Amino acid sequence: MAVAAPSRDTEETYKKVLAENEIPIDVEKFDGYSLCWIGPRTAKAVILFMHGGGLTDPAFDAHIQFNLNGWKVMKANSQDVSIAVLAYGIAPKTPYPVQNRQVVATIHHLLRSRPAEDITLSGDSIGGMLTLSTLLHHKHPIPTVPALTLPTLTSRFREIFIVSPGCSVITDTKSMQENLGKDWLTHDMMRKGLETLTASKEPGIEFPNPWFLSVSAEETWWKDLPVGHMTITVGGNELFRDEVLTVGERIKKYHDREVTVLCEEGGVHCGPFFALMMGATDDDKSGTKLFKQWFQDFKA
């Protein structure tokens, strides 16, 4: 099943969804990108969310609504936390890897008012890949992207929660073939996304690379990641299933904190957001339940 790209950009979609929910709108503008806040900028803890869309499409309504629903749960639990949705630049107007620069700049901005331990990174699809590439970038820098500088040598982000981290590269995994027709994502969609990124990337950038296609990173790169607990979910019917599980196992091998990897039986790419997009109001899929419980258990 194909999913049409949203007609609005991320910032416009954010404003629409928050207005419909009668929640205050707060957009923090930067050069070529912005932070769309759900909750006050001054909150003790911040969840930095990076949406999917292959770096070629903006956020869907479901991205904003799902996070807004989660924030309402945390607020009801009296947690001093906000969600900052990163409206990063979209290709081809914004070439790769400018998006990684924007993530690093955003993190440095957030670090001016809180420690790394109060910052959580989250995202789906390419947003999950941006999350993983940011962690790798700390010790294994992306060429042309400024260093990710944390306050101390022992600083760590609080945790990450990423859904279906993947990119537009068609790999030779079993799931990439056997899940064709089971997942709403298609090879044709992936090819078109990769063509756009390849044609518009900055000159001299090797592409794809280990930061874009995390399964191609050297195993030992997953050692010493500057983060606490890591949660990664993927659908059993996803094209990306096998490579996500491979990366998950490598992280489990080298990371010195708890790592949760969930493969949802029958799940599709970006299941929690796809279910909401399709109108589900009480989705009982394991990936959606885990994400919702994460919001419920979040302690700032």
Side-chain angles (χ1 to χ4, degrees):
M1 176 180 181
V3 177
S7 59
R8 296 174 298 272
D9 65 27
T10 297
E11 189 176 316
E12 291 171 334
T13 298
Y14 156 82
K15 290 178 179 177
K16 169 185 174 289
V17 173
L18 264 65
E20 290 173 346
N21 286 267
E22 299 182 335
I23 300 294
I25 292 168
D26 181 11
V27 177
E28 194 170 5
K29 296 275 194 177
F30 300 95
D31 183 16
Y33 66 103
S34 59
L35 274 181
C36 301
W37 287 89
I38 303 175
R41 302 184 193 184
T42 56
K44 175 180 182 290
V46 173
I47 298 169
L48 177 61
F49 180 81
M50 290 159 277
H51 66 84
L55 300 184
T56 60
D57 290 314
F60 288 89
D61 288 29
H63 286 120
I64 309 300
Q65 188 65 57
F66 192 93
N67 277 285
L68 177 56
N69 293 346
W71 177 76
K72 288 178 178 178
V73 169
M74 295 185 293
K75 183 182 179 184
N77 289 339
S78 301
Q79 299 307 306
D80 187 12
V81 55
S82 291
I83 299 175
V85 178
L86 179 60
Y88 54 78
I90 299 298
K93 182 179 179 180
T94 303
Y96 176 86
V98 171
Q99 296 84 2
N100 286 97
R101 291 193 202 119
Q102 293 171 345
V103 174
V104 171
T106 298
I107 290 171
H108 288 162
H109 171 69
L110 295 175
L111 284 169
R112 294 190 186 104
S113 55
R114 55 186 56 81
E117 287 73 15
D118 283 334
I119 299 173
T120 293
L121 306 180
S122 185
D124 72 297
S125 192
I126 200 67
M129 195 67 75
L130 281 172
T131 300
L132 291 177
S133 66
T134 298
L135 296 177
L136 289 177
H137 177 64
H138 184 241
K139 287 288 183 71
H140 303 278
I142 304 169
T144 77
V145 175
L148 174 61
T149 305
L150 298 181
T152 71
L153 293 176
T154 58
S155 292
R156 293 176 182 244
F157 299 111
R158 172 194 170 112
E159 58 182 309
I160 71 164
F161 194 118
I162 55 176
V163 178
S164 303
C167 67
S168 50
V169 177
I170 299 173
T171 60
D172 59 359
T173 62
K174 182 180 178 182
S175 64
M176 191 63 73
Q177 300 302 324
E178 73 176 17
N179 284 341
L180 269 175
K182 297 179 184 178
D183 199 354
W184 61 263
L185 191 64
T186 67
H187 284 182
D188 187 53
M189 293 165 68
M190 294 172 66
R191 288 190 190 97
K192 288 179 179 177
L194 188 61
E195 287 172 4
T196 298
L197 291 171
T198 302
S200 61
K201 70 176 179 66
E202 291 184 333
I205 294 294
E206 181 185 346
F207 190 78
N209 56 52
W211 302 275
F212 184 76
L213 178 63
S214 62
V215 74
S216 68
E218 293 182 27
E219 246 190 73
T220 55
W221 281 23
W222 300 108
K223 187 179 180 181
D224 299 325
L225 298 178
V227 68
H229 184 197
M230 301 179 68
T231 302
I232 304 169
T233 71
V234 68
N237 284 349
E238 272 202 60
L239 298 179
F240 296 125
R241 180 197 65 204
D242 293 350
E243 63 191 68
V244 172
L245 292 178
T246 296
V247 170
E249 287 306 309
R250 290 174 182 172
I251 293 173
K252 279 186 174 182
K253 179 179 178 180
Y254 288 99
H255 193 48
D256 62 352
R257 301 291 175 89
E258 183 180 0
V259 179
T260 300
V261 179
L262 171 70
C263 183
E264 176 188 300
E265 184 178 357
V268 295
H269 185 58
C270 301
F273 305 99
F274 183 77
L276 187 59
M277 192 185 307
M278 294 296 102
T281 56
D282 189 23
D283 195 294
D284 62 354
K285 296 288 188 179
S286 57
T288 302
K289 288 173 69 175
L290 181 64
F291 208 167
K292 288 181 175 179
Q293 191 62 48
W294 182 73
F295 284 124
Q296 184 68 50
D297 295 340
F298 194 96
K299 303 297 181 186

